[in-house]
Amino acid sequence: MNSNYYKLLLLGGAVRLYFSQTSLAPLIGNRVEFATPLNSFKRLQEGVFLLQQGVDPYRGDLVHESPLLLKALSGILINYAQVLPLLYILLDLCTATLLYLLGITFVKQKLQQQKGECEDYAKDTEELQYNDEDKSHIAELVLLAYLFNPLTIMSCIGLTSTVLSNLLLALILYSMVKRQLLICTVLLAFETVRNLYPFVLIAPLILLFARRSVPMGIAIFMIFVTSCFAVAGANFLVMNSWNYLDGTLGFIFFFRDLQPNIGLFWYFFTEMFEHFRTMFLITFQLNATVLYLVPLSLKLRKEPLLLATVLIALMAVFRAYPSLGDVGFYLALLPLWRRCWKFMAHGFVVFTFFLITLSMMGAFWHLWIYAGSANANFYFGATLAFSTGQIFLITDLLFAHVKREFCLYNGQKIMINGEEARILLE
């Protein structure tokens, strides 16, 4: 870790600390773009209070955090509530550090991989290959992308539990590149019992550790399932009841709260006839989980970390209760694929989508809820466009990766009948 790392980390912490002391912090904590029924700090407070009073917080439909976290945070919330913003900032800085170390380790592994493959590379592909400078440069880009992204900053100062989810995801990815199977599997099980959707990350784990060994793949899956049951059992010991399963995983799957957010569920299920709900609920949940899992796993079987990145991005788009903090996390992973950026053709379009739609969300929410001069269609239109921009970004990254792989072995200039040909993916 060089001096730039410490400077950036201190600056990122200072920015978060400054904004956490302003009136922006409670405002962000109430914004539907950042605070959802799953990650809202107010709901977490309510759950801790009910737990301390000996009341089951999952009897109602307000608390949806896991019992283990409620128990872990109860002492801090009750006795040291004033230092809670500092705790969230420290957790966010830990996430940034893990992503920085992830970047360094990832580039080292890429350089080692290239040593065995470089003989097969075309001559004009030096700019597409990782080099020694990337070890520090890419890691710093990842650090910058996380520490100074307004989405992650505001998610932190709003005290959303997305900060905890981002930390767990960073730990999972770092454990992946360090080849620590047991730690990675246990962490994934814990996050799966909390938020359901991360279970799809078992696919890159199996691809990374099984190495085409079917028995090993089955063993990893069984370890994951066993870990999930162990975490569920630990939650049961805290509550002495299984009610939390319906209040957490059941709440997510059945989508009981139609509060608006940046996702695609709420508007559709608000407008839909009730007797169609089950069919479309299953369809939407399949789209958010396993629909893309097999084809992406087959295509990216040699790049487990890229597969994990894409799956995390798709979760942020299609999950039932997404927040902008989820988007900020996967955006910080994009610098890992800096050598693909040359082939990403929609950067300006995606940036424009993000800039305009994020600006429109706040304006349309005010017009709809406060001014009464708009309706839900306005706000959903902005969130739909935002999701479209994210899909453009994800597909652009996938196409760029495929083009880079092709050019590494075939050269960047393909000549047909003496003329340079364009590489198109259809």
Side-chain angles (χ1 to χ4, degrees):
M1 294 184 183
N2 55 33
S3 59
N4 286 339
Y5 158 77
Y6 295 104
K7 293 176 183 177
L8 291 173
L9 201 67
L10 286 173
L11 183 57
V15 169
R16 284 162 170 76
L17 182 60
Y18 170 77
F19 283 109
S20 68
Q21 305 302 314
T22 66
S23 59
L24 182 63
L27 175 65
I28 294 300
N30 292 320
R31 292 294 309 181
V32 295
E33 294 87 359
F34 291 95
T36 70
L38 295 182
N39 69 3
S40 170
F41 178 65
K42 288 185 175 180
R43 297 189 181 226
L44 179 66
Q45 284 180 306
E46 183 69 19
V48 168
F49 176 78
L50 292 174
L51 194 63
Q52 289 297 311
Q53 299 301 314
V55 179
D56 187 348
Y58 304 101
R59 285 184 180 177
D61 202 27
L62 187 65
V63 180
H64 311 292
E65 188 54 85
S66 69
L68 283 173
L69 276 177
L70 288 180
K71 192 69 174 179
L73 293 174
S74 60
I76 300 174
L77 271 170
I78 293 172
N79 301 314
Y80 306 101
Q82 65 276 10
V83 302
L84 202 61
L86 289 177
L87 174 63
Y88 274 72
I89 291 171
L90 288 174
L91 292 176
D92 223 25
L93 296 183
C94 288
T95 303
T97 299
L98 287 167
L99 293 179
Y100 178 80
L101 296 174
L102 168 68
I104 294 175
T105 307
F106 171 75
V107 175
K108 286 181 179 178
Q109 292 176 353
K110 277 295 181 183
L111 290 173
Q112 186 176 3
Q113 178 185 340
Q114 284 180 180
K115 287 182 180 179
E117 299 177 350
C118 60
E119 294 181 357
D120 299 324
Y121 290 165
K123 295 182 179 180
D124 60 340
T125 59
E126 287 77 10
E127 65 175 319
L128 303 181
Q129 301 176 31
Y130 291 87
N131 54 52
D132 290 329
E133 295 180 357
D134 286 336
K135 282 188 288 187
S136 59
H137 187 55
I138 286 180
E140 287 182 4
L141 285 176
V142 172
L143 189 66
L144 283 166
Y146 188 83
L147 284 177
F148 301 104
N149 187 330
L151 305 183
T152 55
I153 293 173
M154 288 190 279
S155 183
C156 178
I157 67 173
L159 302 182
T160 65
S161 61
T162 301
V163 172
L164 301 173
S165 296
N166 288 348
L167 177 60
L168 287 170
L169 288 175
L171 280 167
I172 291 168
L173 296 179
Y174 182 66
S175 300
M176 281 180 60
V177 297
K178 296 296 287 186
R179 303 297 196 271
Q180 297 170 336
L181 174 60
L182 185 60
I183 295 175
C184 191
T185 307
V186 172
L187 290 170
L188 180 59
F190 184 81
E191 182 63 7
T192 297
V193 174
R194 282 187 68 231
N195 286 322
L196 179 65
Y197 298 102
F199 82 87
V200 297
L201 296 180
I202 191 63
L205 258 67
I206 291 175
L207 290 174
L208 180 65
F209 292 104
R211 298 184 182 278
R212 299 183 181 180
S213 172
V214 175
M216 184 61 179
I218 296 174
I220 292 172
F221 182 77
M222 294 307 298
I223 292 173
F224 170 68
V225 173
T226 303
S227 300
C228 287
F229 279 113
V231 173
N235 283 314
F236 171 80
L237 293 177
V238 172
M239 297 301 304
N240 198 27
S241 168
W242 293 106
N243 288 343
Y244 79 91
L245 285 175
D246 186 60
T248 54
L249 299 180
F251 176 80
I252 296 171
F253 183 82
F254 293 107
F255 193 67
R256 298 195 183 103
D257 195 321
L258 299 179
Q259 173 183 304
N261 53 55
I262 64 168
L264 305 175
F265 275 65
W266 67 273
Y267 184 85
F268 188 86
F269 285 95
T270 300
E271 300 292 332
M272 187 184 57
F273 291 112
E274 186 63 26
H275 53 276
F276 292 124
R277 179 180 174 86
T278 301
M279 181 186 71
F280 282 103
L281 183 65
I282 294 173
T283 302
F284 270 62
Q285 295 292 8
L286 287 175
N287 181 66
T289 52
V290 299
L291 184 62
Y292 309 103
L293 188 59
V294 173
L296 285 174
S297 299
L298 292 174
K299 185 62 182 178
L300 302 176
R301 60 190 180 278
K302 297 180 180 179
E303 294 286 353
L305 188 59
L306 178 58
L307 174 61
T309 302
V310 172
L311 290 175
I312 290 171
L314 290 173
M315 280 192 283
V317 178
F318 294 119
R319 68 196 306 168
Y321 299 100
S323 74
L324 291 179
D326 302 319
V327 178
F329 180 82
Y330 81 76
L331 290 179
L333 299 175
L334 296 183
L336 294 175
W337 316 104
R338 181 173 175 270
R339 293 301 169 184
C340 297
W341 287 1
K342 176 181 179 180
F343 301 106
M344 295 182 71
H346 303 301
F348 176 75
V349 174
V350 171
F351 175 77
T352 304
F353 260 97
F354 276 45
L355 182 64
I356 294 177
T357 54
L358 288 173
S359 302
M360 290 168 59
M361 284 181 197
F364 287 160
W365 180 263
H366 179 81
L367 292 174
W368 174 26
I369 301 299
Y370 297 101
S373 57
N375 55 40
N377 297 318
F378 286 70
Y379 186 76
F380 179 69
T383 61
L384 181 61
F386 181 66
S387 298
T388 303
Q390 292 184 80
I391 295 301
F392 268 103
L393 177 61
I394 296 168
T395 54
D396 203 19
L397 176 62
L398 289 172
F399 287 164
H401 168 72
V402 173
K403 290 177 182 178
R404 174 181 176 270
E405 289 293 306
F406 178 84
C407 290
L408 277 175
Y409 294 97
N410 297 278
Q412 298 191 65
K413 293 184 179 180
I414 309 298
M415 308 302 293
I416 298 179
N417 298 326
E419 297 182 359
E420 184 177 350
R422 295 180 61 190
I423 301 174
L424 298 176
L425 293 177
E426 298 182 355

